[in-house]
């Protein structure tokens, strides 16, 4: 599945950190949310269309405190850099 979006709430630590990924294989859209850092609790929602998946991302961000940061482009650049090394 290709990453189509990546967000972080800007908080550090197991109790405060939240991460969201939006991925797709072209047919299935998946939203994965993680509460806490590495090893934290994860939830996954699958959707048949991008609009519904992005609406879930928006709901998840609104339900969680923090200053959400869109890391999508930074993740793409890092992935491209690793491929060219």
């Amino acid at each position: 599945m290709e990453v189509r979006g990546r967000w972080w709430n800007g908080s550090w630590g197991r109790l405060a950190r939240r991460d969201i990924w939006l991925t797709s294989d072209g047919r299935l859209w998946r939203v994965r949310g993680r509460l806490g850092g590495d090893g934290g609790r994860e939830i996954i929602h699958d959707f048949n269309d991008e609009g519904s998946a992005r609406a879930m991302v928006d709901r998840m961000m609104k339900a969680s405190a923090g200053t959400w940061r869109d890391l999508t482009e930074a993740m793409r650049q890092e992935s491209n850099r690793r491929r060219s090394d």
Side-chain angles (χ1 to χ4, degrees), residues 2-75:
E2 179 183 339
V3 175
R4 304 291 179 99
R6 171 74 171 85
W7 299 268
W8 168 50
N9 72 340
S11 297
W12 296 97
R14 291 189 58 83
L15 298 177
R17 184 179 179 118
R18 304 288 185 265
D19 296 277
I20 300 172
W21 292 264
L22 174 64
T23 59
S24 179
D25 64 2
R27 292 178 323 199
L28 176 72
W29 289 83
R30 176 168 286 166
V31 177
R32 181 170 60 111
R34 183 169 60 204
L35 310 170
D38 289 339
R41 188 173 58 127
E42 291 194 5
I43 56 171
I44 295 174
H45 299 280
D46 290 335
F47 299 91
N48 293 322
D49 63 278
E50 181 179 3
S52 297
R54 288 194 181 272
M56 174 57 76
V57 169
D58 289 341
R59 285 193 302 273
M60 290 170 77
M61 285 193 279
K62 286 177 184 168
S64 229
T67 303
W68 285 92
R69 294 171 169 93
D70 187 342
L71 304 177
T72 307
E73 187 57 35
M75 298 301 291

